[in-house]
Amino acid sequence: MGSMWPRNPQPVLNLGTTAFVEREETLKKTLLLHRRSSRVLAGAGQESLLRTTTMSSVAKPQDLPPSGGFSKIQYDKVPHKTFFNGYRIALLTAVSYSLGTWGYLRACERIRRTRLETQSARNAIQPFLLAERDRQLLTQMRKNRDAEAELMKDVPGWEVGTLYGTPVFNTVGENEWIGYNPDTYYAHADTLKRMENEYFSFFV
């Protein structure tokens, strides 16, 4: 047979013990807090109900049309205000063409004067360029003659300006000048240098 006593018996509190007194005070405090909470919740509910009743009883202003009604709705096409009309366009075109023609003629006159001045300068210095060209031609021909004499000095019977003593031109005097041959003039020059200088009008 089992025991009649429970395994975890609850302690029995005597009315005069300290634990019993503390437990009773705790219950009193809990009951007091519960009553206070109930009062606070009841007061908040009444205040909310009063506020709702007061706000709902006040009439709100409604949006109404202004006195005389709303303005008319504009749905027709409103044409833009144009500055240019037929007369103004014609006037502007005439002024533009006039100014353009005046500027064009003025530019043409300036170009004509510039070309005239350039051509006058060319005409003025052309004699000096021709004289310089002739002087350079004679100088180079003299250098070619000296180079020929130095090159053919060991060849017996060779005379400078002749073919073994035979003149190239029989009817030309000793001091008479004839046109030069480019092959003779550029005999000791580079081929590219010759091609570069042959086609220049004033210098050879």
Side-chain angles (χ1 to χ4, degrees):
M1 295 180 61
S3 176
M4 297 178 60
W5 297 99
R7 295 183 179 181
N8 297 320
Q10 296 293 332
V12 180
L13 300 177
N14 297 325
L15 296 178
T17 60
T18 305
F20 180 81
V21 175
E22 292 178 355
R23 184 174 182 182
E24 186 177 3
E25 290 179 357
T26 303
L27 291 175
K28 289 181 180 180
K29 291 180 180 180
T30 305
L31 182 60
L32 182 60
L33 291 175
H34 180 68
R35 290 179 180 178
R36 290 180 180 178
S37 301
S38 300
R39 291 177 183 177
V40 171
L41 292 176
Q46 292 179 0
E47 184 179 357
S48 176
L49 180 61
L50 179 61
R51 186 182 303 171
T52 304
T53 305
T54 304
M55 293 179 63
S56 61
S57 61
V58 178
K60 296 181 179 180
Q62 298 182 359
D63 294 335
L64 298 176
S67 59
F70 293 102
S71 60
K72 182 181 178 181
I73 299 176
Q74 181 67 33
Y75 58 88
D76 296 334
K77 181 179 180 181
V78 179
H80 296 284
K81 295 182 179 180
T82 57
F83 176 78
F84 293 100
N85 52 22
Y87 296 102
R88 291 181 178 178
I89 292 176
L91 179 61
L92 181 61
T93 303
V95 172
S96 300
Y97 271 93
S98 300
L99 293 177
T101 304
W102 174 77
Y104 173 76
L105 295 177
R106 185 177 180 182
C108 290
E109 180 65 20
R110 184 169 61 253
I111 293 173
R112 187 187 67 83
R113 290 182 180 180
T114 303
R115 290 179 178 177
L116 180 61
E117 183 179 357
T118 304
Q119 187 62 36
S120 299
R122 288 179 179 176
N123 295 336
I125 65 175
Q126 186 173 4
F128 299 98
L129 294 177
L130 292 175
E132 184 66 21
R133 185 192 67 175
D134 295 341
R135 187 191 68 82
Q136 184 179 1
L137 174 63
L138 294 176
T139 303
Q140 185 62 38
M141 295 299 290
R142 180 61 182 263
K143 291 180 180 180
N144 291 346
R145 189 188 67 175
D146 296 341
E148 181 183 352
E150 180 66 23
L151 181 63
M152 305 297 290
K153 64 181 179 179
D154 296 333
V155 178
W158 182 266
E159 294 182 9
V160 178
T162 63
L163 182 60
Y164 291 99
T166 303
V168 180
F169 302 97
N170 295 325
T171 59
V172 178
E174 183 178 357
N175 296 324
E176 187 176 353
W177 171 257
I178 59 174
Y180 72 97
N181 187 0
D183 295 333
T184 305
Y185 183 84
Y186 293 102
H188 305 285
D190 184 58
T191 304
L192 296 179
K193 191 67 175 179
R194 170 183 175 178
M195 295 176 62
E196 180 181 353
N197 294 334
E198 268 187 344
Y199 298 100
F200 196 73
S201 58
F202 291 141
F203 295 97
V204 293

